[in-house]
Amino acid sequence: MDIPEIIKQLETYGFAVDEGVVPQDECSKMAEILDKIEEERTTAGTISYKTDAQVTIDNIHLIRPDIFLNKINIPKVMDVAAAVFSERFILSSFNASRSGPRGGCNPHNDARIPVSDFSNTTQLICAICLDDFTAKNGATVAWPFSHKSGIDVPDHVHSINDIPGKISCEAPRGSVLYTLAQLWHDIGPNLDGKRRWCIHAAYSRWWVKQVYDFPRCGETIFNQLTPEQKILFGFTSRPPLIGGARRYTVTKIEDLPDSYEEVLKFYLPFKYNSN
């Protein structure tokens, strides 16, 4: 699907499925690695979130940068995000999610502000389907047009069956499911037991606070980042230590120091001025 069509579907329905974005063999490899990470972290008691509704592994690009780091800036996804925001954007979170048998118990939206105007969208969620998404294995459930409501999901709603008009966003492995953060959605229940991993990449406008403080990633990760990835991590959109250094928060990537220690001194004063 071309980008204008994706944007048209996002604006109209609040979501769009783009097939064949990531090679299927890569998806299978990533899913198998996530199986191992889940097993190891469950045994160690360090799994981010695990219930019979959903398993979540946070910040997989920091856990296995050799496998997942280059997936934070897939070119097609970057082009779609650029078209949605029409300004610089950053990575807000990058987590893996696997459906469980008791999905569908938390309809919600991911927007801090449930805007009704597409042009004011503050966050875009891009789900990389590592397994096939089907109605029986926990594909994302969404409510088309709910992104135009301008309201949050009502407090009394505790099940996908409490709201009429839902659909399952079915997609083959290798697809990217784009959803506007203000769209009402939920993880579907996994009824047939077939594995359903995806990577949830959330991108937001540069001035929106990230879910995770990626600039504290450490020197090892920092030294692996491309200029585009440094921007996504938020290194060029943190306020400086000295207010008179510049008028706006956004920094030109070419002005960002090459040394991680120098970046910390300028952008993370708490590390050096804790007294």
Side-chain angles (χ1 to χ4, degrees), residues 152-216:
D152 289 318
V153 176
D155 291 339
H156 69 271
V157 173
H158 301 292
S159 167
I160 58 174
N161 297 319
D162 292 342
I163 312 173
K166 66 180 183 296
I167 67 165
S168 289
C169 300
E170 297 188 278
R173 180 179 53 180
S175 303
V176 172
L177 167 62
Y178 298 97
T179 58
L180 302 180
Q182 60 267 34
L183 181 77
W184 295 6
H185 65 280
D186 196 3
I187 187 170
N190 191 321
L191 304 175
D192 63 10
K194 292 183 179 179
R195 187 186 65 190
R196 197 241 65 182
W197 277 113
C198 75
I199 296 173
H200 275 152
Y203 301 93
S204 61
R205 296 180 185 272
W206 67 268
W207 44 265
V208 176
K209 186 176 181 180
Q210 294 165 292
V211 174
Y212 299 101
D213 194 4
F214 292 137
R216 300 185 71 181

Side-chain angles (χ1 to χ4, degrees), residues 47-264:
I47 193 80
S48 302
Y49 180 81
K50 186 170 185 175
T51 70
D52 57 355
Q54 182 179 18
V55 174
T56 302
I57 304 173
D58 294 340
N59 300 326
I60 56 172
H61 59 312
L62 304 182
I63 297 172
R64 287 294 304 272
D66 57 317
I67 300 297
F68 298 108
L69 186 57
N70 67 350
K71 296 301 181 288
I72 73 171
N73 59 322
I74 296 171
K76 180 77 172 288
V77 175
M78 295 295 92
D79 290 343
V80 171
V84 170
F85 296 123
S86 298
E87 67 171 330
R88 181 177 294 184
F89 56 91
I90 56 177
L91 183 69
S92 185
S93 61
F94 195 78
N95 308 325
S97 171
R98 181 176 65 76
S99 59
R102 195 179 61 87
C105 56
N106 183 35
H108 64 285
N109 67 55
D110 294 320
R112 291 170 172 84
I113 303 173
V115 297
S116 58
D117 188 337
F118 172 78
S119 65
N120 291 329
T121 296
T122 58
Q123 192 172 52
L124 175 70
I125 313 300
C126 307
I128 305 169
C129 304
L130 304 185
D131 295 307
D132 291 338
F133 269 41
T134 72
K136 292 185 177 181
N137 76 348
T140 299
V141 174
W143 284 265
F145 314 110
S146 60
H147 65 297
K148 300 180 180 181
S149 68
I151 61 173
D152 289 318
V153 176
D155 291 339
H156 69 271
V157 173
H158 301 292
S159 167
I160 58 174
N161 297 319
D162 292 342
I163 312 173
K166 66 180 183 296
I167 67 165
S168 289
C169 300
E170 297 188 278
R173 180 179 53 180
S175 303
V176 172
L177 167 62
Y178 298 97
T179 58
L180 302 180
Q182 60 267 34
L183 181 77
W184 295 6
H185 65 280
D186 196 3
I187 187 170
N190 191 321
L191 304 175
D192 63 10
K194 292 183 179 179
R195 187 186 65 190
R196 197 241 65 182
W197 277 113
C198 75
I199 296 173
H200 275 152
Y203 301 93
S204 61
R205 296 180 185 272
W206 67 268
W207 44 265
V208 176
K209 186 176 181 180
Q210 294 165 292
V211 174
Y212 299 101
D213 194 4
F214 292 137
R216 300 185 71 181
C217 61
E219 186 173 9
T220 300
I221 295 291
F222 179 81
N223 289 338
Q224 298 178 55
L225 300 178
T226 66
E228 182 179 43
Q229 290 171 340
K230 289 176 182 177
I231 293 172
L232 289 175
F233 265 56
F235 282 106
T236 61
S237 57
R238 296 185 67 91
L241 173 60
I242 301 172
R246 53 192 164 87
R247 212 175 270 260
Y248 301 104
T249 302
V250 174
T251 301
K252 294 179 180 179
I253 186 62
E254 56 266 26
D255 292 338
L256 191 73
D258 293 330
S259 164
Y260 185 64
E261 286 298 305
E262 291 302 314
V263 170
L264 290 183

